[in-house]
Amino acid sequence: MAQLYFYYSAMNAGKSTSLLQSSYNYQERGMNTFVLTAAIDDRAGYGKVASRIGIECDAYAFTVQDDLSQIIEKQHQQTAQHCILIDEAQFLTKEQVKQLTYVVDCLEIPVLCYGIKTDFQGELFPGSQYLLAWADKLIELKTICHCGRKANMVLRLDSNGQPVKEGKQVEIGGNDSYESVCRKHFRPYFWD
């Protein structure tokens, strides 16, 4: 039975590595996977999923205007798909998460989504919000704060490495722009 999975975490927990490993596992057994990633995040190159440990693959780059159920159904008709894998799932829209439930329920293809749960202000991303609400399975991938506790929050940093309190929800960046921290080390910037 196909299910919708949401693998979530703070930054630098190995989400892309886990996605790439899952895709490889399917392919090693002769099964087809269809990998998608958000077009807005082109740090590894447009239409690429890349891990910090140096592995990568090509992916379909989706935008917020795309109907993912149509794109996946067309791909499935061309080559039967055994699994759909989505990186940067926090950038999905509510409607796109609904479309993924169609892929699982009606096309009976498992969908594995990987993304960040909350933004730099501790607020849910839209894609994450609806995946948390509608996914069949929720799996937290863990990373650690500089203090050794589990990091479940993300700080956005300015050019001097200081936390930023305001700004757009989406600003693409890596380790130079963000730091994963525990709630205790997030609290002084937003809640105290």
Side-chain angles (χ1 to χ4, degrees), residues 2 7 16 26 41 46 70 77 80 112 135 139 153-154 159 174 183:
Y7 294 84
S16 296
Y26 274 92
D41 187 353
Y46 187 80
Q70 287 183 355
Q77 289 169 351
L112 286 63
I139 301 100
M153 308 299 277
V154 177
S159 59
R183 189 179 54 243

Side-chain angles (χ1 to χ4, degrees), residues 7-191:
Y7 294 84
Y8 65 92
S9 69
M11 290 185 68
N12 298 328
K15 293 178 298 298
S16 296
T17 303
S18 181
L19 178 150
L20 292 164
Q21 182 66 53
S22 293
S23 182
Y24 178 82
N25 289 346
Y26 274 92
Q27 292 170 16
E28 186 177 45
R29 287 161 184 79
M31 298 177 173
N32 299 315
T33 62
F34 186 37
V35 179
L36 298 92
T37 190
I40 190 171
D41 187 353
D42 61 358
R43 289 174 293 159
Y46 187 80
K48 291 272 188 203
V49 173
S51 170
R52 292 175 293 125
I53 64 171
I55 55 177
E56 66 178 37
C57 78
D58 291 329
Y60 179 92
F62 69 86
T63 68
V64 295
Q65 291 84 24
D66 285 333
D67 182 326
L68 298 183
S69 60
Q70 287 183 355
I71 291 165
I72 292 166
E73 192 162 18
K74 182 178 178 185
Q75 181 72 19
H76 184 58
Q77 289 169 351
Q78 293 173 0
T79 308
Q81 297 300 308
H82 297 94
C83 185
I84 308 302
L85 300 114
I86 300 180
D87 200 27
E88 305 298 344
Q90 69 271 13
F91 299 131
L92 293 166
T93 66
K94 177 181 181 180
E95 190 58 34
Q96 287 173 325
V97 176
K98 202 179 291 182
Q99 293 160 6
L100 295 175
T101 66
Y102 170 84
V103 170
V104 170
D105 298 340
C106 300
L107 300 180
E108 298 182 359
I109 305 171
V111 177
L112 286 63
C113 297
Y114 297 79
I116 298 170
K117 185 172 74 169
T118 58
D119 67 14
F120 75 104
Q121 294 178 318
E123 301 293 330
L124 290 171
F125 283 99
S128 301
Q129 176 184 350
Y130 293 102
L131 284 165
L132 286 167
W134 299 337
D136 300 298
K137 302 279 185 184
L138 302 173
I139 301 100
E140 182 179 23
L141 301 175
K142 295 175 178 76
T143 191
I144 58 169
C145 179
H146 57 80
C147 70
R149 294 173 64 172
K150 180 180 87 169
N152 55 356
M153 308 299 277
V154 177
L155 291 174
R156 182 182 291 165
L157 307 174
D158 65 17
S159 59
N160 296 317
Q162 297 302 307
V164 175
K165 293 184 177 187
E166 296 178 354
K168 300 181 299 183
Q169 184 178 45
V170 176
E171 188 174 302
I172 304 301
N175 291 345
D176 58 329
S177 303
Y178 293 95
E179 179 183 2
S180 293
V181 295
C182 65
R183 189 179 54 243
K184 178 180 179 180
H185 287 104
F186 178 86
R187 176 178 299 283
Y189 300 104
F190 289 96
W191 297 339

